């Protein structure tokens, strides 16, 4: 009944289920990142000047960039699924890396909306350099707001994982 072969088959089935759930998570993360990229220009004069053919170019471009960026956490978390008994680490690693990626691009969008350029060495030097206290005045309210936004994004990414598990178990043909 419970020989080595049956245990291996059950383990492979569990890994396959987790991998498929991870792929659904990758797909939803791609769509979410695309929405973040579109939000960079939404409501600006640039968005108002775009014609339908421009949007037909911009949306697939944003989607393809999102797919490439979302592939990074998906690929980096795969070894945890495929190697030994580290399967339990797969979901936390995937969720954590995806959350960090989302936080980075949301922060990048905030920088872009303020300065009309993306995070670069200049911005990082202003933020973390020796004169950072002279350039930026961070107060407690700003720290609370940033912490709340980060917690909200992390909660959304965890909720998406559980949604993906529900979708996989509900459909079971993905």
């Amino acid at each position: 009944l419970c020989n080595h072969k049956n245990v291996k088959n059950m383990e492979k089935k569990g890994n396959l289920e987790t991998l498929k759930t991870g792929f659904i998570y990758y797909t939803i993360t791609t769509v979410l990142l695309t929405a973040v990229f579109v939000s960079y220009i939404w409501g600006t004069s640039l968005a108002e000047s775009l014609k339908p053919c421009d949007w037909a170019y911009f949306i697939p471009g944003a989607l393809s960039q999102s797919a490439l960026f979302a592939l990074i956490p998906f690929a980096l978390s795969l070894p945890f699924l495929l190697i030994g008994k580290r399967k339990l680490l797969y979901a936390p690693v995937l969720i954590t890396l995806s959350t960090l990626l989302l936080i980075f691009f949301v922060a990048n969008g905030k920088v872009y909306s303020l300065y009309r350029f993306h995070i670069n060495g200049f911005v990082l030097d202003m933020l973390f350099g020796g004169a950072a206290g002279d350039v930026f005045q961070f107060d407690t309210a700003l720290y609370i707001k940033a912490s709340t936004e980060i917690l909200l994004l992390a909660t959304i990414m965890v909720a998406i994982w559980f949604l993906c598990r529900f979708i996989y178990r509900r459909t079971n043909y993905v």
Side-chain angles (χ1 to χ4, degrees):
L1 273 180
C2 190
N3 63 24
H4 182 68
K5 188 175 181 181
N6 287 341
V7 171
K8 283 290 187 187
N9 286 339
M10 289 182 348
E11 185 178 297
K12 285 181 185 177
K13 183 180 177 188
N15 283 355
L16 186 61
E17 177 183 334
T18 306
L19 181 64
K20 288 181 178 182
T21 303
F23 185 74
I24 297 169
Y25 187 83
Y26 160 75
T27 305
I28 293 174
T29 302
T30 298
V31 172
L32 185 60
L33 286 175
T34 302
V36 170
F37 290 164
V38 170
S39 75
Y40 287 1
I41 66 165
W42 196 259
T44 65
S45 59
L46 176 62
E48 294 169 5
S49 68
L50 291 179
K51 297 176 181 69
C53 64
D54 299 328
W55 283 106
Y57 175 79
F58 177 72
I59 297 296
L63 185 63
S64 65
Q65 288 296 312
S66 300
L68 288 173
F69 282 119
L71 190 60
I72 296 168
F74 183 70
L76 290 176
S77 61
L78 278 179
F80 292 97
L81 180 65
L82 303 175
I83 298 172
K85 301 196 182 294
R86 296 189 175 126
K87 178 184 165 190
L88 294 176
L89 293 175
Y90 173 74
V93 168
L94 178 61
I95 293 167
T96 302
L97 293 175
S98 298
T99 302
L100 291 173
L101 186 71
L102 182 64
I103 289 168
F104 173 78
F105 283 117
V106 168
N108 186 44
K110 290 182 183 293
V111 168
Y112 185 78
S113 70
L114 289 173
Y115 303 112
R116 290 292 176 236
F117 55 84
H118 298 280
I119 292 176
N120 56 34
F122 175 69
V123 173
L124 294 175
D125 188 45
M126 284 191 328
L127 188 61
F128 298 114
D134 298 334
V135 177
F136 297 106
Q137 299 298 321
F138 297 129
D139 61 344
T140 305
L142 185 63
Y143 284 118
I144 291 172
K145 181 182 176 191
S147 299
T148 303
E149 288 179 3
I150 289 170
L151 184 63
L152 178 66
L153 292 174
T155 303
I156 289 169
M157 296 308 281
V158 170
I160 289 173
W161 175 259
F162 286 107
L163 174 67
C164 293
R165 286 181 55 191
F166 174 78
I167 290 170
Y168 174 77
R169 289 182 177 153
R170 189 85 163 136
T171 57
N172 202 14
Y173 61 84
V174 176

